[in-house]
Amino acid sequence: MKKAINILVSLVMVAGLVSCNNGENKKGSQGKGGLATNAAEKVYVAPGEHDDYYAFFSGGYSGNLTVYGLPSGRMFKEIPVFSQFPTSGYGYSEETKPMFNTSFGFVPWDDSHHPDISQTNGKLDGRWIFINGNNTPRIARIDLETFETEEIIELPNSAGNHSSSFITENTEYVVAGTRFSVPVPQRDMPIKDYKGNFKGALSFISVDQETGRMGIKFQLMMPGFNYDLSHPGRDKSHGWFFFTTYNTEEANTLMEVNSSQNDKDFIAAVNWKVIEEYVNNGGGTKVPAKYAHNVYDHATHSATSTMENEVLTVDPTKVPGAVFFLPTPKSPHGCDVDPTGEYIIGNGKLSADLTVHSFTKMIDAIENKKFDGEAYGIPILKFEDVLAGTVKQPGLGPLHTEFDGKGNAYTTFFISSEVVKWKLGTWEVVDRQPVFYSVGHGMIPGGNSREPFGKYFVAMNKITKDRYLPTGPELEHSAQLFDISGDKMELLLDFPTHGEPHYAAGIPAEILKKNSKQFYKLADNKNPYATLSEADARVERKGNEVHIYMTTIRSHFTPDNIEGIKVGDKVFFHITNHEQDFDVPHGFAMIGANNAELLIMPGQTKTLFWEPKQVGVWPFYCTDFCSALHQEMQGYVRVSPANSNMELSWSLGED
Ligand code: CUA
């Protein structure tokens, strides 16, 4: 009996030791209540201290990009990209409206999916971040000094711009692939004639290394599959780009059944250097195509839109050695390349195992012409010839894989709701952690580069349910932060994200924060409607157009009393913020304007359009609490009847 008690006591002690072991505590690390021992310390950023990383989360159906700090999970900013944003007036001011111009007209919304930060020599350089608009195909470039959208280029011949926006390791190209294949050129034809007649365009958009300006270098016109995701080769595979495909069946209806028939779909391997050379030597065919190219200028604080008329297309069968298909089970979603460039991971969402292709074996098979037939003239390699290995039954519903730069891969599993860590080369699973719930993408800062910063992994979960206080039927998505610096992943933090963060890109804070702009120099303001001194503030009439050249400084508008405006006039408030200090924007809002407010940064000029519809004396005011006398920062516009003879007049400080 005594012996039995002794055994029991020692068992309890062992159990106690196990449960105290940092990070090993299953119950604790699930975060259902008590966090594992020092998780709170690991995410605590003391008041006034800064986070170690910036993390840029795509906004999904918000159309924008949100900026967070890691490890705190604090949100710093929402950067408007594809959607009108009343918080800053983006897309409402006359200067920014051209950013939404497309071949379909003004499109003030999109579905933004995959941000990627510019690189030099395969390392994050922090110049720009790119993101795709999925719905009305577009790619945007955001400047990481101003954290503002600088450029949006539309993609013709594309639809559901999903396998985008990923960049090559010297930012030579930002690449965008069509999810939906469509008739090219678009035309009136029966949907059932899809097979063999639709095309999938993969766009290679060059990036000017000085200015960042984008231009479509060429569009590769691929067979009518669905192109889901993509990644560039890097290091040894630099010069190649890899795209997952599904619906190689080319079904056009009841896709959930009809596009899941084939045992294997493909990863398309594209040698863009070969195509670049072909194009530089006059190859390819220019075809008519209408697409908008919108550029925002930081000197004028204004965007201009240009409609382009043609695009260069390339038929892959005309360029030997350019494109090959790697059979990949089964409806692969993510297409991820490890930091060495050797392994290409196809996350077959309906497949039991995870397939890893070898770049070396692929090159060998191509050189030895070991092909297994072709699809629309594109050679198909043999599955076994390019296989590096498989991760056996790692989980259910693999979607995406990230890398820590230490030989480990982290794959997200949507159906089994977990993150699985496995070793590149041995393919053994070394850890798995549940996520809450149903993870989509994961992100490791620099995970898309040759040099990841393998300290944190962020799981972007699709389903939130009970993780936060309920807010009615609509819940924000939840992200979860893991510490991956040890052998086992440790859950540190839950935090809500905005919209649907399909993907994110992280970068050490020190790379960006030293370059972050604090204000615009008033002397450098080249906006044609800028008012650089209060003495120049004025009101001018041109027919029924009235231009108000207004200035702001704490705490008044110049002028603040305006008379002689009439019903039916088209009024433009051109407002220049004369502050020259960090974090002193002024706002401007006019009663009855069919627009949002403006938020004008120090040194900037922005323009609000207003159509006065009713006779009276109507106020405007500053919307941003800028000083102790913010509430006094206001003015009046007198609106007279349309047939009035009232002359224009304006004043400040006169009775
Ligand atoms: Cu200016 Cu409040």
Side-chain angles (χ1 to χ4, degrees), residues 233-517:
R234 53 181 67 96
D235 205 348
K236 68 165 77 167
S237 52
H238 178 57
W240 289 79
F241 223 98
F242 303 93
F243 296 82
T244 42
T245 70
Y246 66 102
N247 192 29
T248 49
E249 298 84 352
E250 296 179 79
N252 61 278
T253 185
L254 196 62
M255 299 286 287
E256 60 177 327
V257 176
N258 294 331
S259 74
S260 307
Q261 301 298 308
N262 291 348
D263 182 48
K264 293 188 176 65
D265 295 287
F266 298 123
I267 285 178
V270 175
N271 188 331
W272 57 261
K273 283 212 167 154
V274 166
I275 304 174
E276 185 184 59
E277 199 185 333
Y278 170 77
V279 163
N280 286 345
N281 289 323
T285 309
K286 280 190 176 150
V287 300
K290 201 176 158 203
Y291 62 100
H293 187 185
N294 312 326
V295 179
Y296 182 85
D297 182 325
H298 283 296
T300 60
H301 310 289
S302 305
T304 49
S305 178
T306 310
M307 199 60 74
E308 305 288 349
N309 294 311
E310 61 179 17
V311 72
L312 186 67
T313 59
V314 171
D315 175 349
T317 64
K318 299 263 169 67
V319 195
V323 185
F324 301 90
F325 284 135
L326 285 58
T328 306
K330 179 174 185 179
S331 299
H333 186 58
C335 181
D336 298 296
V337 180
D338 86 304
T340 69
E342 169 62 12
Y343 299 122
I344 304 134
I345 292 127
N347 302 267
K349 57 185 189 281
L350 305 176
S351 168
D353 301 330
L354 209 58
T355 300
V356 184
H357 298 299
S358 157
F359 177 72
T360 309
K361 286 186 170 183
M362 182 192 90
I363 293 299
D364 188 61
I366 292 169
E367 282 174 356
N368 292 299
K369 297 199 160 45
K370 289 161 81 176
F371 303 135
D372 188 16
E374 58 170 56
Y376 295 103
I378 294 169
I380 301 171
L381 299 166
K382 278 206 185 83
F383 178 70
E384 296 75 19
D385 287 345
V386 294
L387 187 68
T390 48
V391 186
K392 294 286 180 199
Q393 306 201 316
L396 296 175
L399 292 184
H400 302 281
T401 301
E402 288 274 302
F403 309 93
D404 63 5
K406 300 172 210 160
N408 301 302
Y410 300 74
T411 302
T412 55
F413 289 83
F414 178 81
I415 298 170
S416 53
S417 215
E418 58 188 337
V419 180
V420 175
K421 177 182 176 183
W422 51 278
K423 276 197 165 349
L424 291 158
T426 68
W427 326 119
E428 62 185 312
V429 171
V430 291
D431 190 23
R432 60 178 67 237
Q433 290 294 334
V435 290
F436 304 90
Y437 304 93
S438 297
V439 59
H441 276 272
M443 183 275 278
I444 292 172
N448 271 352
S449 72
R450 269 203 242 163
E451 292 187 10
F453 302 86
K455 179 147 197 236
Y456 299 113
F457 177 93
V458 183
M460 283 156 267
N461 304 320
K462 297 296 188 189
I463 294 169
T464 304
K465 299 272 189 201
D466 57 1
R467 295 305 285 182
Y468 308 126
L469 287 173
T471 52
E474 188 192 352
L475 304 163
E476 291 285 33
H477 288 216
S478 82
Q480 294 189 293
L481 182 74
F482 290 86
D483 180 345
I484 56 166
S485 56
D487 289 340
K488 300 283 180 187
M489 295 176 270
E490 184 192 357
L491 178 60
L492 300 179
L493 182 71
D494 273 25
F495 59 97
T497 52
H498 187 56
E500 181 177 356
H502 289 266
Y503 197 30
I507 184 169
E510 71 233 24
I511 299 178
L512 295 193
K513 77 176 183 184
K514 60 179 187 289
N515 297 328
S516 187
K517 202 172 192 71

Side-chain angles (χ1 to χ4, degrees), residues 34 99 126 154 228 273 352 415 513 518 570 578 595:
M99 292 302 276
E154 191 183 358
D228 203 5
K273 283 212 167 154
I415 298 170
K513 77 176 183 184
Q518 300 199 325
K570 297 188 182 307
H578 279 203
N595 260 317

Side-chain angles (χ1 to χ4, degrees), residues 35 38-46 51 69-74 456 481-483 490-495:
L35 280 164
N38 59 354
E41 274 174 39
K42 288 184 174 179
V43 300
Y44 183 67
V45 178
D51 279 278
L70 298 180
S72 73
R74 298 182 295 187
Y456 299 113
L481 182 74
F482 290 86
D483 180 345
E490 184 192 357
L491 178 60
L492 300 179
L493 182 71
D494 273 25
F495 59 97

Side-chain angles (χ1 to χ4, degrees), residues 586 622 624-626 630 633:
H586 290 289
C622 171
D624 188 319
F625 206 109
C626 51
H630 155 79
M633 198 165 168

